[in-house]
Amino acid sequence: MPTISVVIPAFNAEKTIQETIESVLNQTFSDFELLVINDGSQDSTLDVIDNIKDERIKVFSYPNAGVAASRNRGIAQATGEYIAFLDADDLWTSDKLEAQLKALQENPQAAVAYSWTDYIDEYSQFLRPGMHVTVNGDVYAEILEKFFLENGSNFLVRKEALLVVGGFDELIFGPEDWDICIRLAAKYQFVAVPRSQILYRLNRTSNQSISSQLARQESQNLKVIEKAFQQAPDSLKSLKRTALANLYKYLTFRAIETSCDRSNSLTAARYLFNAIKYNPALLKQVKVMASAWFKIMAIAFLPPQQSRQLTIKSKKV
C-alpha cells in the first residue's frame, strides 16, 4: 500500500488538470497513489488525464455532486495512511509531500501538517503571498478565528483522523475545508511547515459573476461560523465576533481586488462596515482602512480602467 493517497476532485478541469497532476508526479516523495475523482465533467478532462501515463494515477467517475462529496469519495477509495487533497487548478512545489510527511513523522501527536500558500493567476503567474501563518500544537482557537491554512489544497492528514471526524460536510459549498479543519483542530494537534508550498489559483476570468461568488462565499462562511461556535466550548464562544470581523475584512478585499465594477463598491463598503462593526479596533489600522476606502471610492467614481490603474499603483505604494 502507498504511504500517501492524493485526492484530486475534478469538474470540467481540462485547462488546468495536466499542470496540477504534473505538480504531484514531480514530488520528491514518490510513494503515493493519485486518485482523480471525476465529478461529472462534460469537457475533455478525462482525455487529458488519459494521456498522462503513470501507474500511480487512478480515475474514478461519478455524477456531479460537488467538491466535498468528491473528497469524501476519494477518502473512501484511499489506501494510504495519510491523505492529501489538491484542487484541480492548484499546484504544489516539488517538496510539499516530503516536508509535510516528515513533519508528521517527527510529531506523532499531530494529525495535520500544513504549509504556507502563495497565490497565482489563471496563467500560473505569481500574484501575491498568502498569510504565511505558523501555529503549532493546539490551534483550535486560532482556526476558529480565521482559516489560516487558506485552502483545501494545503494539508496532509492522517486518514484515521479524517474518519474520526466524519469527513467533509457535503452541505457546505466553498469553505468545507475550513469546516473540516475546525473539527480536526478540536481533537488533534497541527504542525506547520513554514515554507510556501501551495500555489492557489485565483481565476479572475471566471464565467460566474464576482457578485454571485461573493454572495455565496458570505453565506457559506457564515454557515461554517455558526456551526463551529455552536459546537465550541463556552470559553471560546467570545471569539465569534473576531471570526465574523475577519470574514468581512477578507470579503472586503476580495470585492475590491477581483473587479472594478462599480456595483462591487457598494458590496465592498457593506463588508467593510460589517468588519468594523464586529471589530471596532480595525479603525486603528489606519493604513489598511485608508487603502480599503481609497479603492472603494476609486471603483465607485472612476471609469473601470482608471480605477484599476489607481488600485494597482496603490498596491505598489
Side-chain angles (χ1 to χ4, degrees):
M1 293 190 298
T3 301
I4 297 175
S5 297
V6 178
V7 175
I8 300 180
F11 172 69
N12 290 347
E14 62 182 6
K15 295 180 180 179
T16 58
I17 189 67
Q18 180 166 339
E19 188 178 12
T20 296
I21 288 177
E22 287 175 351
S23 81
V24 179
L25 299 181
N26 291 333
Q27 291 293 301
T28 54
F29 180 85
S30 60
D31 184 21
F32 61 80
E33 61 179 356
L34 175 51
L35 311 178
V36 180
I37 309 301
N38 175 41
D39 189 29
S41 295
Q42 298 177 349
D43 63 358
S44 61
T45 295
L46 289 176
D47 294 332
V48 174
I49 299 169
D50 189 56
N51 287 326
I52 305 173
K53 305 303 180 184
D54 193 296
E55 61 183 11
R56 293 170 294 182
I57 300 175
K58 303 174 185 177
V59 180
F60 301 89
S61 292
Y62 300 90
N64 179 260
V67 174
S70 294
R71 289 173 178 163
N72 285 338
R73 288 164 172 169
I75 294 170
Q77 298 289 350
T79 61
E81 180 183 355
Y82 304 87
I83 299 181
F85 302 94
L86 178 60
D87 288 350
D89 57 351
D90 296 338
L91 306 174
W92 288 339
T93 61
S94 61
D95 59 345
K96 189 266 191 188
L97 289 180
E98 180 180 5
Q100 290 186 342
L101 179 62
K102 181 180 178 182
L104 285 177
Q105 290 175 334
E106 292 178 350
N107 296 272
Q109 75 284 1
V112 179
Y114 71 96
S115 306
W116 292 346
T117 291
D118 284 340
Y119 291 84
I120 58 175
D121 64 14
E122 53 269 32
Y123 307 107
S124 302
Q125 299 300 305
F126 177 84
L127 282 174
R128 59 176 171 82
M131 288 188 280
H132 291 187
V133 172
T134 300
V135 187
N136 292 295
D138 179 3
V139 303
Y140 188 33
E142 287 84 355
I143 209 165
L144 280 172
E145 291 184 320
K146 63 182 177 182
F147 186 36
F148 58 82
L149 277 72
E150 302 191 57
N151 58 81
S153 296
N154 191 334
F155 57 96
L156 178 68
V157 57
R158 300 183 194 274
K159 182 180 180 181
E160 179 184 1
L162 279 176
L163 297 178
V164 168
V165 302
F168 290 86
D169 186 338
E170 297 182 15
L171 297 179
I172 296 174
F173 301 94
E176 64 280 326
D177 40 16
W178 186 19
D179 170 76
I180 198 169
C181 284
I182 289 172
R183 289 184 280 122
L184 284 164
K187 293 181 177 292
Y188 302 101
Q189 294 190 19
F190 283 41
V191 59
V193 176
R195 297 204 296 275
S196 296
Q197 296 186 309
I198 291 81
L199 303 176
Y200 184 83
R201 193 182 305 274
L202 293 177
N203 187 354
R204 298 173 295 178
T205 60
S206 171
N207 291 327
Q208 185 181 21
S209 71
I210 296 298
S211 60
S212 63
Q213 288 182 40
L214 292 170
R216 190 175 84 159
Q217 284 187 49
E218 179 183 13
S219 65
Q220 294 298 309
N221 277 281
L222 288 174
K223 183 186 294 187
V224 170
I225 290 171
E226 290 301 320
K227 176 183 175 182
F229 282 94
Q230 285 177 1
Q231 299 172 356
D234 290 342
S235 61
L236 296 179
K237 290 189 184 297
S238 62
L239 299 177
K240 184 176 181 181
R241 291 184 66 86
T242 304
L244 289 166
N246 286 334
L247 168 62
Y248 281 108
K249 183 179 176 182
Y250 163 78
L251 289 172
T252 299
F253 284 93
R254 281 290 290 156
I256 58 183
E257 77 174 358
T258 54
S259 173
C260 288
D261 189 316
R262 288 178 178 176
S263 63
N264 274 355
S265 66
L266 294 176
T267 301
R270 178 174 69 84
Y271 290 154
L272 186 56
F273 173 81
N274 282 336
I276 295 169
K277 179 180 71 173
Y278 289 115
N279 183 12
L282 288 174
L283 290 171
K284 297 179 181 179
Q285 299 179 15
V286 178
K287 290 184 179 179
V288 174
M289 291 296 102
S291 173
W293 282 117
F294 171 80
K295 293 175 183 178
I296 290 171
M297 292 299 102
I299 294 170
F301 296 108
L302 296 177
Q305 184 175 359
Q306 190 174 353
S307 65
R308 186 177 295 110
Q309 291 174 347
L310 280 176
T311 54
I312 290 172
K313 288 181 180 179
S314 72
K315 285 183 182 179
K316 292 180 178 179
V317 173

